[in-house]
Amino acid sequence: MKRIISIQSHVVYGCAGNSSAVFPMRRSGMDALPINTVQFSNHTQYAEGWKGMVMPAGQITELVQGLENIKVLGTVDALLSGYLGSAEQGEEIVAAVEKLKAANPNAIYFCDPVMGHPEKGCIVAPGVSEFLSTKALAAADVIAPNLLELETLTERVIHNLDEAIEACESLIAKGIKMVVVKHLSRAATSTEKFEILLVTAEGAWLANRPLYEFAANKQPVGVGDLISGLMLANLMAGFEPVIAFERTNASVDAVLAETFKQNAYELQLILAQDAIANPVIAEHAKQVK
């Protein structure tokens, strides 16, 4: 069994951050160890608001030290990071990655560079985007941005698939082993489907899933966190990158299909758990470079 430390946000109700990623990783056979950067009552896009707090500085370092003290850290195979409550937490994560790799040189760092979308109610603290573009990028083995985050990381404007691939390749050239673009948005080849992209040193692959007509104010939150958690879990399970990518896309589609069927705002992870563990790949990824 592979072991993953997951450092990201947590909501008491619903699915975002660790609340979106930890159960699917465990259902995929991983021993997922959550460390929360924030703890909120619910995700921040509820019109009624939310309650909670950013975890205090030093807590990530303290918890990782605790794992080292009980000789668990050296048994961890990967570290996943997502939403950060402060830039200082980012510094603690990079230090945790260094400590993890010293204990287990084969461990990998999977960075989900959440930079926020103010128009959607997702706001990150000052300095977080800068940290992700510099120190996190330098430390990461795998990175999973959406299109806007990819533009920020590569300091370019991306209009189409070819430019998205070129941007990913520029990250590969800097030492990143794998880039998963979780949402191609305006760079997609079709407006009829939702497209995601995988780029490695060996090539580029495009996958798609259906678009579900959720109400404008009820678009499920936490899908990106789910993608990152499942992609890492599939890689840790030993699947080759393209197969891991296909399995991830199929599982996410199954979750969204069930969420739409239930007319729910929050991702229906429990109802879709069998498809998370054993996804049916209806359409294979297409190599585009």
Side-chain angles (χ1 to χ4, degrees):
M1 182 185 296
K2 297 291 186 177
R3 183 166 284 156
I4 298 168
I5 294 175
S6 181
I7 308 178
Q8 48 187 319
S9 62
H10 169 76
V11 292
V12 175
Y13 173 78
C15 299
N18 275 332
S19 301
S20 181
V22 169
F23 173 74
M25 288 194 290
R26 287 174 174 168
R27 193 64 180 83
S28 300
M30 303 297 112
D31 183 13
L33 313 180
I35 294 177
N36 301 327
T37 56
V38 304
Q39 178 158 291
F40 294 160
S41 57
N42 50 275
H43 69 66
T44 59
Q45 295 179 41
Y46 275 85
E48 300 85 355
W50 51 272
K51 298 292 184 181
M53 63 178 289
V54 175
M55 292 298 144
Q59 186 174 70
I60 293 171
T61 299
E62 185 175 347
L63 293 174
V64 171
Q65 184 61 53
L67 295 178
E68 185 176 42
N69 291 349
I70 62 171
K71 298 180 171 54
V72 167
L73 190 63
T75 70
V76 172
D77 301 283
L79 189 150
L80 168 65
S81 71
Y83 182 89
L84 304 180
S86 67
E88 290 76 14
Q89 288 181 339
E91 299 287 349
E92 292 185 70
I93 289 172
V94 168
V97 170
E98 292 175 355
K99 183 170 283 194
L100 171 59
K101 291 194 172 188
N104 178 7
N106 294 319
I108 69 168
Y109 173 32
F110 189 120
C111 177
D112 185 343
V114 180
M115 295 182 179
H117 299 283
E119 71 280 3
K120 291 184 178 181
C122 178
I123 300 171
V124 297
V128 166
S129 292
E130 292 78 6
F131 164 79
L132 291 168
S133 297
T134 54
K135 295 183 180 180
L137 188 62
D141 298 292
V142 183
I143 196 159
N146 60 31
L147 186 70
L148 295 176
E149 291 158 353
L150 180 62
E151 289 182 320
T152 301
L153 291 171
T154 59
E155 299 182 312
R156 63 181 75 193
V157 178
I158 299 169
H159 304 91
N160 53 50
L161 178 62
D162 287 341
E163 291 179 357
I165 294 171
E166 289 172 4
C168 293
E169 289 174 334
S170 73
L171 297 180
I172 299 291
K174 292 182 178 180
I176 299 293
K177 297 178 179 66
M178 188 182 307
V179 183
V180 179
V181 185
K182 298 175 297 186
H183 184 192
L184 275 172
S185 185
R186 65 177 179 277
T189 64
S190 171
T191 58
E192 305 292 318
K193 295 182 178 181
F194 189 102
E195 294 183 347
I196 61 176
L197 178 69
L198 168 69
V199 180
T200 71
E202 285 69 45
W205 290 264
L206 188 69
N208 64 67
R209 63 177 187 266
L211 288 170
Y212 298 96
E213 297 298 325
F214 292 99
N217 63 340
K218 293 295 182 181
Q219 288 285 338
V221 170
V223 179
D225 307 319
L226 177 61
I227 291 172
S228 293
L230 283 174
M231 185 67 186
L232 178 54
N234 280 303
L235 291 170
M236 289 291 99
F239 293 102
E240 293 297 320
V242 177
I243 303 300
F245 182 59
E246 292 175 334
R247 286 174 59 87
T248 297
N249 189 54
S251 292
V252 172
D253 178 51
V255 171
L256 286 169
E258 187 63 42
T259 304
F260 184 72
K261 177 183 175 182
Q262 300 297 328
N263 192 29
Y265 187 19
E266 297 288 353
L267 294 174
Q268 297 299 294
L269 300 178
I270 305 299
L271 290 178
Q273 63 179 292
D274 290 342
I276 289 172
N278 298 293
V280 176
I281 300 171
E283 187 171 341
H284 292 283
K286 175 184 177 183
Q287 187 162 10
V288 288
K289 186 165 183 181

